[in-house]
Amino acid sequence: MKNIVSFLVGFIFAIGLAVSGMLQVQNIKGFLDILGDWNYALIGVMFSAIFIHSIFYFFIKNRTSPLLDTKFHLPTKKNIDFKLLLGSAIFGLGWGWAGICPGPSIVALMSAQKPFLFFVAAMLLGMKLYKWLARLLKL
Amino acid sequence: MSNLIPSLIGGAYIGLAVSIMYLFNGRITGISGILNGTLHPQKKDFAWRLFFIAGLCMGGIIMNALHPELFIQISRATTVDYIMGGMLVGFGTVMGSGCTSGHGICGISRMSSRSILATLIFIFFGILSCALFKYLHGEL
C-alpha cells in the first residue's frame, strides 16, 4: 500500500512539474537571471506548493503517526554545519549552470532528450563521488 | 500575470503530492534524497523509493505524450555543460542533504531553519552561476 502511495505521489509530482514549466531549462534560467529579462513565474510554483503543504503540515503534525507507518521519518540533523552550507552552494552552482534540478531531470528524461541523459548520469555519479569522498575524508 | 497561472496550478499539484506522502507514508518528498537512497539500497527502505521514481517516470511519459511542448528546451548549454551541472547537482545535494523539493518545499513548509538557509544559499549561487554562464556563453 505504501508503495502504491509513493507511485501516485511521484505521478502527481511529475504532472505538477510539467504544468508549471519546471521541465524547461529556459524557465529555470529565466527565473535565476534576475538582472536580465527576469521571468518571475516560477515564484508561483514555490509559493503555491509551500502554501498548500504548510496548511496540510499544520494539521498532520499533531498526529502521532502517519496513516500507513508507525512513525514520521523526519530529518534528524538540526544543526547548521559546513556541509549544509557548502553542499547547498555547490548544488546552486550546478542548478544555475544547467537549469535542471533532480526532480525535473528524471521527469524530463522520459522525453529521451540527450541533455537529460547526460545530466542524470552525471548527477548519479556526483552523488556516488560525494559518498566516496566523505568516506575518504571521514566527513 | 497570465504566466503565473500555470505556475500556481503546477505548484498546487506539487504541494498536494508532498502532503499525501507525508500524511500516508510519513516521508519527506525530497527527490535527491530518494534517488541517493536507491544508490545505497537498504532493506525495507528501498521499494517505496523505486515506486516513487516509477511514478515520476510514468507522469513524464504521459505528459510527454499529451503535451510535448512542455518538454521543449531552449539553451546554449552543451553536453559538457550538462555533465558539469549534473555532477555539481549530485555532489551538492547529497552533501547539503537536499534539493529544491526537500529543502525548498518540504523544509520551508515545516519552517526548518536548515532548509530555509539551504534554499537561500542555492538560489543565490544559482543566480551567480546563471550570470556567469550568460557572461561566458553570451546567452542563457
Side-chain angles (χ1 to χ4, degrees):
Chain A
M1 193 60 202
K2 274 193 276 188
N3 293 337
I4 295 170
V5 171
S6 293
F7 180 86
L8 274 176
V9 168
F11 185 76
I12 301 170
F13 200 102
I15 292 174
L17 287 176
V19 170
S20 60
M22 290 281 295
L23 302 183
Q24 297 176 283
V25 295
Q26 63 270 31
N27 291 342
I28 306 289
K29 289 193 163 191
F31 171 68
L32 293 173
D33 185 28
I34 49 167
L35 300 174
D37 186 14
W38 190 40
N39 176 2
Y40 58 85
L42 294 191
I43 285 184
V45 186
M46 279 198 91
F47 175 82
S48 177
I50 291 171
F51 179 74
I52 289 183
H53 186 51
S54 304
I55 295 172
F56 274 99
Y57 181 75
F58 180 80
F59 290 106
I60 301 170
K61 74 168 193 266
N62 296 322
R63 297 182 57 90
T64 48
S65 70
L67 293 172
L68 301 176
D69 204 335
T70 50
K71 64 178 174 72
F72 288 104
H73 304 266
L74 282 172
T76 46
K77 287 181 201 161
K78 294 276 176 267
N79 62 319
I80 287 159
D81 56 2
F82 91 98
K83 283 194 281 184
L84 179 79
L85 306 177
L86 185 60
S88 298
I90 293 171
F91 163 46
L93 289 175
W95 186 40
W97 196 260
I100 310 170
C101 55
S105 75
I106 302 294
V107 181
L109 183 63
M110 297 302 112
S111 64
Q113 297 181 78
K114 275 207 187 92
F116 295 102
L117 199 67
F118 290 117
F119 182 92
V120 170
M123 177 175 71
L124 297 176
L125 189 66
M127 289 177 165
K128 277 276 182 200
L129 208 63
Y130 175 73
K131 284 285 171 189
W132 288 327
L133 198 72
R135 200 174 305 152
L136 198 71
L137 301 177
K138 298 190 169 57
L139 290 177
Chain B
M1 284 301 280
S2 63
N3 56 348
L4 264 180
I5 305 294
S7 305
L8 290 170
I9 296 172
Y13 275 99
I14 295 169
L16 189 69
V18 302
S19 298
I20 294 173
M21 183 70 110
Y22 196 62
L23 176 62
F24 283 86
N25 292 2
R27 297 270 178 189
I28 301 288
T29 314
I31 316 272
S32 57
I34 294 175
L35 285 173
N36 185 45
T38 61
L39 295 178
H40 312 90
Q42 279 170 343
K43 242 187 177 177
K44 297 220 169 198
D45 188 45
F46 186 58
W48 74 274
R49 294 170 191 271
L50 283 189
F51 274 89
F52 175 80
I53 295 167
L56 274 184
C57 293
M58 185 55 87
I61 290 166
I62 289 178
M63 288 309 278
N64 187 42
L66 297 176
H67 293 285
E69 74 277 6
L70 296 173
F71 291 75
I72 294 168
Q73 310 297 330
I74 305 164
S75 177
R76 265 292 173 88
T78 61
T79 300
V80 176
D81 293 319
Y82 286 113
I83 291 174
M84 259 176 62
M87 291 275 277
L88 292 169
V89 167
F91 191 95
T93 50
V94 177
M95 185 179 201
S97 328
C99 61
T100 359
S101 52
H103 280 314
I105 293 165
C106 298
I108 291 185
S109 300
R110 289 188 296 115
M111 299 291 280
S112 147
S113 49
R114 270 173 60 88
S115 290
I116 293 170
L117 187 61
T119 306
L120 290 173
I121 292 174
F122 67 66
I123 290 181
F124 176 78
F125 279 89
I127 290 170
L128 211 67
S129 175
C130 195
L132 183 67
F133 184 97
K134 196 178 174 185
Y135 177 74
L136 295 173
H137 287 69
E139 269 177 67
L140 288 174

